[in-house]
Amino acid sequence: MKALRKMFTLTALTATLLTSGCASIVGDSKYPVNVSSTPSGASFTVQNKDGVIVHNGSTPNTVTLPSGRGYFKGEAYTIVFKKDGYADTSAKLETSMSGWYWGNLLFGGLIGMLVVDPMTGAMYKLPAGAAGNLGSPLVAEAPKDLTLLEIDQLSPNERASLVRIN
């Protein structure tokens, strides 16, 4: 009976190690990203590599984003910041290899390294934050109204300040 229990424990332990990925166990496949801007209060949209908007909001904010987009493919995002009176700006958010992925050499085995972590996206990680600097405020726009007058509707001082254009 003891031999059967030891065999069962050993089999369960071996199956767990062979069917799990180290990065899947220790790391994650979705990461919180702090989105900020200077000045704050800007609206933002997050687009994935395919150009699909996956989130929008206003700064400051925290967005949880998946790090993978398919088997052995890391995701990349573009964050576009907009605020009235400022020029739009954008920031890139790229994935990088998770250090926990290499733990498969010790703990997760080939199944973790070649199947589990690449499929779940756990082999990749995202930066903790993304920021957009909108710069200085733009110069106020000139009024868009246009008033046409005849010359006799102008005062003598206004007529004196006119410049002839040829």
Side-chain angles (χ1 to χ4, degrees), residues 38-39 83-87 133-141:
T38 303
K83 185 169 178 135
D84 288 341
Y86 293 86
N133 188 341
L134 297 161
S136 300
L138 299 174
V139 176
E141 292 183 25

Side-chain angles (χ1 to χ4, degrees), residues 5-156:
R5 182 177 286 166
K6 284 184 181 181
M7 178 73 113
F8 178 74
T9 304
L10 183 61
T11 302
L13 182 60
T14 303
T16 301
L17 288 175
L18 290 177
T19 60
S20 62
C22 192
S24 303
I25 295 169
V26 181
D28 206 348
S29 60
K30 292 186 178 185
Y31 289 85
V33 178
N34 295 318
V35 180
S36 63
S37 66
T38 303
S40 63
S43 64
F44 70 91
T45 57
V46 181
Q47 296 177 352
N48 66 12
K49 209 175 231 182
D50 296 328
V52 176
I53 295 175
V54 295
H55 189 83
N56 54 38
S58 61
T59 61
N61 204 328
T62 300
V63 180
T64 301
L65 300 169
S67 56
R69 70 181 210 112
Y71 189 65
F72 275 106
K73 293 180 184 173
E75 187 60 272
Y77 298 96
T78 301
I79 304 174
V80 178
F81 299 89
K82 295 182 180 192
K83 185 169 178 135
D84 288 341
Y86 293 86
D88 297 350
T89 190
S90 64
K92 296 283 186 189
L93 200 59
E94 301 279 341
T95 56
S96 60
M97 188 73 67
S98 170
W100 291 114
Y101 176 67
W102 299 110
N104 283 306
L105 295 173
L106 297 174
F107 303 111
L110 287 178
I111 299 292
M113 188 169 238
L114 299 177
V115 179
V116 178
D117 289 350
M119 283 180 59
T120 63
M123 70 183 293
Y124 299 105
K125 65 179 180 175
L126 284 166
N133 188 341
L134 297 161
S136 300
L138 299 174
V139 176
E141 292 183 25
K144 295 182 181 176
D145 296 339
L146 176 66
T147 304
L148 296 177
L149 299 172
E150 292 182 18
I151 197 153
D152 59 344
Q153 292 176 298
L154 298 174
S155 69

